[in-house]
Structure formats: C-alpha cells, structure tokens
Amino acid sequence: MTTSTQLTPVKWEGDALILLDQTKLPVETIYLELTTSEEVWASIRHLQVRGAPAIGMAAAYGLYLGIRNSEATTFEAFWSDVSKQAEYLGSSRPTAVNLFWAIDRIKARVQQDADKSVAELKAAVLDEALAIQKEDAEVCRTIGEHLLTLLEDGMGILTHCNPGALATAAYGTATAPLYLAKERGWDLKVYADETRPVLQGARLTAFELQQAGIDVTLICDNMAAMVMSQGKVQAVIVGTDRVAANGDVANKIGTYGVAVLAKAHGIPFYVAAPLSSIDMETPTGADIPIEERPGEEITHGLGKQVAPDDIKVYNPAFDVTPAPYITAIVTETGIYKPEEIGKSKS
Ligand code: MRU
C-alpha cells in the first residue's frame, strides 16, 4: 500500500520534539531531538523543518517546550510566559501564516482554560499541539480527495517545491491526490521542479514520491516551459504558505513563473491550501511579508562556490501568484475560485 506516513517530519516522543532533519535529505536520514524552544526556533529558521503546516506544528510543540518549565503560579504570570514564547517563535520565519495560526490556536486554548491551574494549562498546551498535528493529516487527506475529482488517470502533473508529506503531518497538500491516486491504481506522471535555490523539489519531493513508488521525473526549473509545450502536463498543483483575502497566493519562489507558463499553455493551475494557510486579515498578495534568505543559498547552494566573491545577491524565498493565474484553490472544505476564497472559511 502507498503511504506517505512513513516520512514523519515532526513527532512528539516522550518528552521531546523529534524532527527529521530535512537539510540532510535525501542522502542522510537524521532525526533531531529538541528539548528547548530555542532549538525549535533555530530548526525552523535553518529549514531543518520546513513547509507551512510542518512549521506550524513544530512551533506549537516549541511553545510547549518554552513554557513547560515556567515557574508561574498565577494565570497572569503564565500568560505572560506564553505570550513571550509566542512572540519569540513567531520571529523564526515570516511568510507561512500556519506558524502564526498554530501559535494563536495555542494562545486561544490557554485563554479558554483560564480558570485551570498552571499545571493543567501546561498540559493543555501540549494537548493542543498534538491536536494540531492529528488534524493536519485528516485535512491533507480531504484536500487530496477534492483535488482528485479534478484529475484523471494517465495525466501528467507538475509540482513545485515540496508540498508533500515532509511538509505536513501526512500526505502533503498538493501531493495528497498523488498518494490517493496511487492507492487507487491510477498512473499519474509527476514532474517535480528542482526548485532553486534550496532544491526542495529535487531533495524532498522527488525523494518522497520515489519512495512511495509514484512515477516522478525531476526537471530543472527552467525546463517547465519545454515540458508543458510538449504536452506532458495536464495540471499544475502547488502548495502555499499564505493565501490573501483576494485569492493571491504566496508560495516558494518560482511558483509565479510556473503559473504564468501554465496560463500560456492553457493548463489548469491548482493551489492546495489547508484553511490554516488562508489569511483573511491580509487583503492582497502585496501585503504578505516575503522572507529574504542569505545570499549563500545561491552563491554556495550546491555545497561549492558557484558565483564570484562578494557578488550582490537578491534571494526572496517566496513569490506571489496573482489570483487571475489560479484556476482553483482547494481546501478541506471544497474547491473555490480564488476570488471566492473567503467562502472556504464560512
Ligand atoms: O521554504 P520552505 O521549504 O518552507 O517553503 C515551502 C513551500 O513553499 C511549500 O510549497 C509550502 O509551504 C506548501 S507546504 C504544504
């Protein structure tokens, strides 16, 4: 049976957060054992855990690690500790709204249990983090079911970055229909963009789909136009780090270019988005904070220097695909036109 659950990027075990170090894949499988919120902050910042839903899950556990030794004896003092940890973990990466969604959910749970003892509140924080992870697997599977209704056996599917099992509790978002199609005996042909500069497509998507026995072909980012023009792609499916209220979508740098290419070739462009990625507080894509990462990811990205010393580098980690390029956004509640994404939450 095909299962994406063999790859578990985030696990709570005993008293510690266990993370699969994604910077080492696909060559080494190394699990990190984290016991402090500082370690969780660093693992998010340095992409050892990455992908919007996985970042949210890690931050939720990080918040628990940050307050579990709190010496507060009153709700007010405990709330102050929770708020400080929330702000700290929220500073790890700016673009994926799932990070802030998960932190806010933990804060809401603490407020809801305000009449409980500090010991009970600490237990409630861990309980909420575990619930976030459990629900994410179900959410991803449901997104996959909806997306599958838009696909047919035999299609070629192009994806960008890693919106996969490695980015979620299970199945991935954009990869969920690929796992479900495999379970049903369909033969989809997947093209994975390598995804410069950090190569999430080559290192992670190609790896996890190959492990699952899915027909996956790795291409360089600059080959997508050629592959589309050859009629090899019938749908593009990508994930997202944040959907703005007007249906603009932030995702890994290069996604916008893929969307333009898909439109030019008349290929539908679908975005898989859990409700935790939809940010109705952010009016348009222009309002989404875009992370800029160190230039070394480009100048030394493949482990050796590939650019001149002291070259100026611009390295935005995400771009925004404007709503008109998007055929549909698929959430756990259904399939929406981008401009109607607000309905997904009602
Ligand atoms: O920088 P990353 O690897 O965290 O970026 C991840 C992406 O852009 C994914 O496509 C996105 O988070 C969707 S994950 C289901």
Side-chain angles (χ1 to χ4, degrees):
M1 169 170 147
T2 312
T3 171
S4 67
T5 48
Q6 290 146 351
L7 290 168
T8 309
V10 177
K11 263 189 285 195
W12 182 257
E13 243 173 45
D15 254 356
L17 175 61
I18 310 295
L19 293 183
L20 175 56
D21 184 348
Q22 300 196 30
T23 63
K24 299 284 191 288
L25 290 172
V27 180
E28 291 174 284
T29 305
I30 292 176
Y31 288 93
L32 308 167
E33 187 175 323
L34 311 188
T35 54
T36 67
S37 65
E38 288 79 9
E39 288 171 341
V40 176
W41 186 97
S43 69
I44 294 173
R45 172 64 68 101
H46 301 304
L47 310 183
Q48 288 169 312
V49 59
R50 35 63 53 204
I55 292 173
M57 293 186 291
Y61 289 120
L63 215 161
Y64 173 67
L65 291 172
I67 54 85
R68 70 173 165 182
N69 295 324
S70 163
E71 287 172 1
T73 53
T74 62
F75 178 79
E76 287 68 28
F78 184 68
W79 178 247
S80 161
D81 287 347
V82 167
S83 302
K84 275 186 211 141
Q85 287 296 326
E87 199 177 332
Y88 170 62
L89 286 159
S91 69
S92 56
R93 289 188 80 188
T95 304
V97 73
N98 311 60
L99 172 67
F100 306 98
W101 170 88
I103 288 170
D104 286 350
R105 191 167 145 170
I106 302 262
K107 285 173 81 177
R109 173 72 183 268
V110 172
Q111 285 289 350
Q112 177 196 311
D113 291 356
D115 55 336
K116 303 222 163 110
S117 71
V118 169
E120 286 171 321
L121 289 171
K122 289 180 181 177
V125 170
L126 178 58
D127 184 60
E128 198 64 24
L130 290 163
I132 287 171
Q133 177 158 18
K134 188 159 176 262
E135 287 165 28
D136 187 62
E138 192 50 43
V139 161
C140 287
R141 194 175 165 98
T142 308
I143 289 173
E145 301 278 2
H146 291 310
L147 270 162
L148 212 52
T149 66
L150 301 169
L151 308 179
E152 281 172 29
D153 192 6
M155 277 183 164
I157 311 290
L158 186 136
T159 191
H160 190 76
C161 193
N162 176 259
L166 287 163
T168 61
Y171 300 104
T173 55
T175 58
L178 312 179
Y179 286 110
L180 297 184
K182 176 79 180 165
E183 278 178 18
R184 279 156 217 203
W186 287 20
D187 177 28
L188 297 179
K189 301 209 175 311
V190 183
Y191 292 88
D193 281 350
E194 65 173 352
T195 316
R196 286 279 289 151
V198 185
L199 303 178
Q200 289 94 333
R203 294 186 303 103
L204 307 176
T205 303
F207 169 72
E208 68 164 79
L209 296 183
Q210 185 189 53
Q211 293 264 311
I214 292 170
D215 180 343
V216 56
T217 302
L218 176 63
I219 59 170
C220 300
D221 298 338
N222 53 7
M223 296 169 190
M226 169 82 158
V227 169
M228 288 184 190
S229 75
Q230 291 172 331
K232 292 179 170 155
V233 177
Q234 281 68 51
V236 173
I237 316 176
V238 297
T240 176
D241 291 81
R242 193 185 295 232
V243 179
N246 71 342
D248 291 349
V249 164
N251 192 47
K252 179 51 56 191
I253 191 73
T255 303
Y256 178 24
V258 175
V260 172
L261 289 175
K263 200 173 183 83
H265 290 89
I267 297 168
F269 184 91
Y270 301 121
V271 176
L275 295 183
S276 55
S277 300
I278 294 165
D279 179 9
M280 297 306 289
E281 306 297 313
T282 296
T284 73
D287 305 302
I288 297 175
I290 299 294
E291 177 182 11
E292 282 188 40
R293 294 195 57 88
E296 290 72 42
E297 286 184 352
I298 296 176
T299 59
H300 295 70
L302 298 169
K304 67 169 193 170
Q305 185 170 346
V306 292
D309 285 336
D310 301 325
I311 191 73
K312 278 201 289 181
V313 174
Y314 177 47
N315 185 19
F318 300 93
D319 60 24
V320 173
T321 300
Y325 289 91
I326 297 164
T327 311
I329 300 176
V330 181
T331 79
E332 61 269 39
T333 57
I335 302 169
Y336 301 91
K337 291 186 181 140
E339 61 275 16
E340 292 178 350
I341 195 60
K343 290 185 185 166
S344 66
K345 288 201 160 185
S346 52

